[in-house]
Amino acid sequence: MRTLLRHGTVVNANGQQRADVLVDGERVAAVGAGFSESVDCVIDATGRLLLPGGVDVHTHLDMPFGDIRTADDFASGTIAAACGGTTTVVDYATQAKGGSLREALDEWMTRAAGQAVVDFGFHVCIADLRPDVEAEMASLVAEGVTSFKLFMAYPGRLMLNDDGILRVLRRAAQVGGLVCIHAEDGPAIDALVREALAAGHTAPAYHARTRPPASEAEAVGRAIALAETAEAALYVVHLSSATALEQIAAARERGLDIMAETCPQYLVLTEAAYDAEPAEAANFVMSPPLRPPADQQALWAGLERGDIQVVATDHCPFTRADKARGLDDFSRIPNGAPGIEHRMALLYDAGVAGGRLSVERFVDVAAASPARLFGLAPRKGAIAAGADADIVVFDPAGTTTISAATHHMRVDYNPYEGRTLRGAIDLVLARGEVIVSGNRYVGAPGRGRCLRRDPFGPRTA
Ligand SMILES: [Zn+2]
């Protein structure tokens, strides 16, 4: 099967050009002009941008949470991702207490295999660090699972102490793994939460007040110090505040290998969402929480400067009914919000159409950088000869209106309800096949493949 996309503007992180794209089978055969090969299908991309398929490296699909689960499984979640122009996801598999990393990986693989419609991989969260778990890290990296996540929040459940963080960082640097870290000062936050509840402050708004920016900045600073001590790289997930970003920028200035991710919710929404009535405000309870407008502006500046390299979603959807469990006690509201479907559209609208990011930088933070950092380049993240033919045909003159009534995520609200965004997705190709047309998933069920990822960075070269 050969497809020719004609007369579009091909955008990669390092530049854009008017060009045709020849797809042969699952891969891009060539980018250029004057192709005379016979093809099975011609797509006219006049006036359209041809973007590399998005790479979302922070999702929580089919994740157990106490006696409930996130609302999207790997089928619904990846169909939503595809409809939003994301053709690769890297999800988080979490180690159970007493369990091995291998068991976590196997469990998540069972949930994804035959369900996911886009290509996928896993980071493994280390929640119970034992010597045998440290030893396991090398074998996972060797088979293409090359990143690990640690928590500085949620003491007693997921948090590792500094000695554990240091050990994992050192081990990861030795074996070619990249450590992702959830940086919030868990013990301090838990104290604030207990105080708030004891004082009768139970409304969802107190979720944000008990997780102040300083608790994020403290953890980011500590994580950077530990990475420096371990001589390891570090990737900070879902960065939300200006003071935490200052720590990242200062560390990078000193030449440390520190990277950061933020999410559309921190770029587009603010803490004003918590002023709504509790049943609505609960839908915006996530960790870290939404922040004041000044933090949002700082994050945009960090993206422009390059101190933040990746925009991922932290897609962690819970239904209104699940959220309502905590209306009398904010600490019982399941944390997280849906976002996998509209990352590309929100970032294009607010970033590119809004004049904050070049279209190349948009492609960089949404596809190229996450692919590179997590060992998926050059296969993913670029439209280039030899790469997988994951291509979004994007109409910059179109519009996208967001609503829970029309989205594909299996959750009964959308944090961006009613917004009309500049830009629209016409078609999405994944490994050469049209899988989305006119906001409908038209690909085969369960077509996604598990990706073997390369080890991280120069340390393994
Ligand atoms: Zn997350």
Side-chain angles (χ1 to χ4, degrees):
M1 171 85 178
R2 274 210 275 224
T3 302
L4 183 63
L5 296 105
R6 288 201 307 189
H7 308 315
T9 298
V10 176
V11 185
N12 281 311
N14 59 2
Q16 55 173 294
Q17 56 172 320
R18 292 288 301 275
D20 297 345
V21 179
L22 180 65
V23 174
D24 190 356
E26 298 194 340
R27 298 198 172 202
V28 173
V31 178
F35 298 124
S36 57
E37 286 86 347
S38 65
V39 296
D40 307 287
C41 171
V42 174
I43 294 170
D44 180 9
T46 304
R48 304 299 193 263
L49 303 177
L50 299 177
L51 309 172
V55 178
D56 188 350
V57 292
H58 192 156
T59 67
H60 300 281
L61 299 171
D62 207 355
M63 181 188 79
F65 182 82
D67 59 338
I68 57 176
R69 312 180 78 79
T70 50
D72 277 307
D73 59 18
F74 277 85
S76 68
T78 56
I79 285 172
C83 289
T86 289
T87 51
T88 303
V89 300
V90 185
D91 197 86
Y92 282 101
T94 304
Q95 177 200 17
K97 292 269 185 211
S100 67
L101 303 185
R102 155 78 40 208
E103 284 162 353
L105 187 61
D106 288 349
E107 190 183 336
W108 259 262
M109 195 71 85
T110 305
R111 293 178 196 156
Q115 297 293 317
V117 303
V118 303
D119 292 347
F120 60 93
F122 296 102
H123 321 272
V124 181
C125 303
I126 302 177
D128 185 7
L129 185 63
R130 309 177 305 261
D132 58 303
V133 169
E134 274 180 74
E136 262 193 296
M137 290 172 64
S139 57
L140 289 191
V141 170
E143 51 184 275
V145 179
T146 57
S147 45
F148 302 91
K149 184 183 189 184
L150 307 180
F151 287 86
M152 301 173 86
Y154 312 120
R157 233 168 11 104
L158 296 166
M159 189 181 87
L160 288 196
N161 291 324
D162 290 0
D163 63 329
I165 295 170
L166 184 69
R167 271 152 54 206
V168 172
L169 281 163
R170 194 178 279 145
R171 184 83 184 131
Q174 286 164 356
V175 302
L178 176 60
V179 173
C180 307
I181 200 143
H182 176 131
E184 285 188 301
D185 180 351
I189 286 168
D190 278 11
L192 295 175
V193 169
R194 282 193 300 271
E195 279 173 23
L197 292 175
H201 298 316
T202 58
Y206 286 92
H207 172 77
R209 294 185 204 169
T210 54
R211 309 183 89 88
S215 67
E216 184 183 15
E218 186 280 333
V220 168
R222 184 157 40 98
I224 289 169
L226 292 165
E228 183 171 14
T229 304
E231 298 184 52
L234 179 72
Y235 177 91
V236 179
V237 302
H238 55 41
L239 196 81
S240 73
S241 65
T243 48
L245 175 59
E246 284 166 18
Q247 308 264 7
I248 303 276
R252 292 176 62 80
E253 183 70 30
R254 290 200 289 123
L256 299 180
D257 206 358
I258 308 295
M259 288 139 312
E261 160 199 291
T262 191
C263 312
Q265 54 270 36
Y266 304 118
L267 294 166
V268 172
L269 303 173
T270 70
E271 64 176 5
Y274 302 121
D275 296 340
E277 54 169 310
E280 190 60 28
N283 294 337
F284 296 87
V285 165
M286 59 186 80
S287 295
L290 299 173
R291 303 294 193 190
D295 290 283
Q296 187 183 87
Q297 294 310 315
L299 295 175
W300 279 112
L303 268 182
E304 288 170 50
R305 280 198 313 269
D307 284 329
I308 299 173
Q309 294 75 37
V310 172
V311 176
T313 60
D314 197 8
H315 177 70
C316 192
F318 293 101
T319 62
R320 284 179 182 276
D322 288 341
K323 290 284 194 181
R325 295 168 156 232
L327 290 185
D328 300 329
D329 173 354
F330 68 87
S331 71
R332 293 171 50 82
I333 301 170
N335 282 205
I340 201 169
E341 187 163 348
H342 298 111
R343 180 181 65 120
M344 302 284 277
L346 287 163
L347 195 57
Y348 183 87
D349 175 72
V352 181
R356 288 165 166 136
L357 301 179
S358 68
V359 68
E360 291 90 347
R361 182 75 184 136
F362 160 68
V363 163
D364 197 4
V365 300
S369 283
R372 189 182 67 253
L373 293 178
F374 291 98
L376 294 166
R379 187 171 167 191
K380 304 292 189 187
I383 299 177
D388 281 357
D390 296 352
I391 300 170
V392 179
V393 181
F394 189 84
D395 179 6
T399 59
T400 302
T401 298
I402 297 181
S403 172
T406 50
H407 73 201
H408 300 80
M409 299 178 288
R410 200 184 285 159
V411 58
D412 51 357
Y413 77 98
N414 191 301
Y416 312 97
E417 182 70 34
R419 289 183 190 233
T420 295
L421 309 176
R422 293 159 285 188
I425 291 170
D426 286 354
L427 294 174
V428 178
L429 284 77
R431 281 189 274 101
E433 184 189 343
V434 174
I435 62 166
V436 171
S437 175
N439 200 33
R440 275 187 40 234
Y441 180 73
V442 297
R447 60 171 293 289
R449 283 189 201 143
C450 187
L451 297 165
R452 187 188 175 91
R453 299 187 285 122
D454 290 334
F456 175 78
R459 283 162 210 284
T460 58

